[in-house]
Amino acid sequence: MKKQESSITSLIAAFSRAHHSQFDTPKIFDDYLAQDLISKDEFQSIKDNMVQGIEFFNKEIAEKYKGNSRKLLKWITQVQLAPTPLARAAYCERVLQNEIQLGVEQYVILGAGLDTFAYRHPHLECVLEIFEVDIPATQAFKKQKLQEASLSRTNNVHFVAMDFTKQFHSQPLLDQGFQYKKTFFSLLGVSYYLTKEELASLLDHLFALVPAGSSLVLDYADESLFSEKGISNRVDHMIKMAAAGGEPMKSCYRYEEMEKMVAQSDLLIYEHLPPSTIQELYFQHRTDYLSAFETIHYMHIVKRK
């Protein structure tokens, strides 16, 4: 990706988290620092672009809330942009906190973008080494944003510049102090853009670096990805937006395929959350537009031996 494209991608993800933190109740995932990484001009620019594109998402809503940018933005954010980033982050960090209690010493965030975990949990500085992996342009952008927000990088945060979606190399991680210790990996918003062979290879490479008990949380699309339209056609919109952005979605999986893939790497599916369970855990009894995204599942995978 080009620098500008990388910055926009990470900004929109942060925008979704920031909007939820500021305006939605109850909170699914409260990333209260996300807004600090977005300037007022950037926030306004994203807001304007989303509102101006409302007819792409839903012509009836465009007509119903015509001229009311606040309601239009709420609808777009809650229906299209925020559900998956919010719920998968909430799930991932819940699993991580439990894994820390079970002895995890390293956390590798694959595709870190503008993730704020380390800065929301400074008390973990002496407990957890955090490795943020992303392409060089995104990492340079984040460092700039951290500086502008006066958020100091703690000693346990290590930036690892790598496009792991093209080819994973262990040396950049090792150069930043990564060790053969119990490790937790997060791979969120990535599996869709990899071929099945690329994802299997990535899992092999990652778990070759760590001992038994290490684990990974990822989200993936099931076999209905390219046929399910979803509420207000939001699944179809997601696929079209990804393709228009130059990152077409490549893969979807039956559960049995995921089970076979992880078994071949001597891994075990410890927990699997289908959309119905995600709805029950994170969206039940809401009175706004937020709901679990169709076709998207979460999975916690553990190295057996």
Side-chain angles (χ1 to χ4, degrees), residues 31-76:
D31 189 350
Y32 55 87
L33 288 181
Q35 62 183 323
D36 295 340
L37 301 183
I38 308 174
S39 71
K40 290 183 179 179
D41 287 345
E42 288 165 340
F43 194 94
Q44 188 63 44
S45 178
I46 294 171
K47 174 182 174 180
D48 290 345
N49 276 288
M50 291 299 165
V51 170
Q52 288 166 13
I54 182 60
E55 290 205 6
F56 167 75
F57 297 106
N58 191 304
K59 292 183 179 180
E60 291 182 7
I61 292 295
E63 185 61 31
K64 180 178 179 180
Y65 296 133
K66 187 176 182 179
N68 191 328
S69 61
R70 182 180 62 82
K71 288 190 174 182
L72 289 171
L73 185 64
K74 178 180 179 179
W75 188 93
I76 295 170

Side-chain angles (χ1 to χ4, degrees), residues 1-268:
M1 291 186 295
K2 298 176 182 177
K3 181 176 181 180
Q4 184 180 12
E5 291 171 341
S6 167
S7 302
I8 290 172
T9 301
S10 55
L11 269 174
I12 291 176
F15 172 87
S16 298
R17 301 194 304 270
H19 188 275
H20 180 68
S21 179
Q22 292 178 73
F23 302 114
D24 297 343
T25 303
K27 303 286 186 287
I28 295 169
F29 177 72
D30 190 7
D31 189 350
Y32 55 87
L33 288 181
Q35 62 183 323
D36 295 340
L37 301 183
I38 308 174
S39 71
K40 290 183 179 179
D41 287 345
E42 288 165 340
F43 194 94
Q44 188 63 44
S45 178
I46 294 171
K47 174 182 174 180
D48 290 345
N49 276 288
M50 291 299 165
V51 170
Q52 288 166 13
I54 182 60
E55 290 205 6
F56 167 75
F57 297 106
N58 191 304
K59 292 183 179 180
E60 291 182 7
I61 292 295
E63 185 61 31
K64 180 178 179 180
Y65 296 133
K66 187 176 182 179
N68 191 328
S69 61
R70 182 180 62 82
K71 288 190 174 182
L72 289 171
L73 185 64
K74 178 180 179 179
W75 188 93
I76 295 170
T77 303
Q78 291 190 342
V79 172
Q80 189 74 49
L81 300 181
T84 296
L86 292 174
R88 73 188 178 198
Y91 174 65
C92 181
E93 292 197 10
R94 175 175 67 78
V95 174
L96 172 58
Q97 292 289 357
N98 187 55
E99 289 298 310
I100 291 171
Q101 297 300 315
L102 296 175
V104 155
E105 298 181 65
Q106 299 177 139
Y107 177 29
V108 179
I109 311 172
L110 296 153
L114 294 177
D115 186 276
T116 64
F117 176 83
Y119 311 95
R120 287 181 282 109
H121 299 277
H123 59 284
L124 294 175
E125 182 174 1
C126 298
V127 176
L128 190 69
E129 296 297 317
I130 301 172
F131 300 85
E132 299 195 8
V133 184
D134 218 319
I135 62 174
T138 297
Q139 294 200 325
F141 181 66
K142 181 171 187 177
K143 290 176 184 177
Q144 174 192 333
K145 287 296 180 183
L146 291 172
Q147 185 176 13
E148 291 172 356
S150 298
L151 289 172
S152 300
R153 194 170 103 198
T154 52
N155 292 326
N156 65 326
V157 178
H158 313 277
F159 285 115
V160 182
M162 185 198 320
D163 186 352
F164 64 89
T165 65
K166 302 299 182 186
Q167 189 172 6
F168 179 85
H169 299 284
S170 60
Q171 196 59 48
L173 267 173
L174 299 174
D175 290 344
Q176 290 296 323
F178 186 86
Q179 300 181 45
Y180 188 79
K181 294 180 177 180
K182 190 174 181 182
T183 301
F184 179 77
F185 300 96
S186 64
L187 184 69
L188 303 180
V190 176
S191 68
Y192 325 105
Y193 305 104
L194 303 178
T195 65
K196 295 180 179 182
E197 293 74 20
E198 288 169 341
L199 179 57
S201 176
L202 179 59
L203 293 178
D204 277 340
H205 281 94
L206 290 174
F207 282 98
L209 299 172
V210 294
S214 297
S215 65
L216 174 147
V217 161
L218 84 163
D219 56 334
Y220 75 93
D222 66 29
E223 66 274 20
S224 68
L225 175 66
F226 297 107
S227 58
E228 170 70 51
K229 297 300 182 182
I231 296 171
S232 295
N233 293 320
R234 62 180 177 178
V235 177
D236 189 48
H237 292 150
M238 174 181 69
I239 294 169
K240 288 178 179 177
M241 287 190 294
E247 295 182 280
M249 292 187 165
K250 299 176 181 178
S251 300
C252 54
Y253 302 82
R254 290 180 292 105
Y255 177 82
E256 292 75 17
E257 285 183 283
M258 293 295 294
E259 196 173 38
K260 182 178 179 180
M261 179 189 299
V262 302
Q264 287 174 342
S265 297
D266 203 22
L267 309 173
L268 175 71

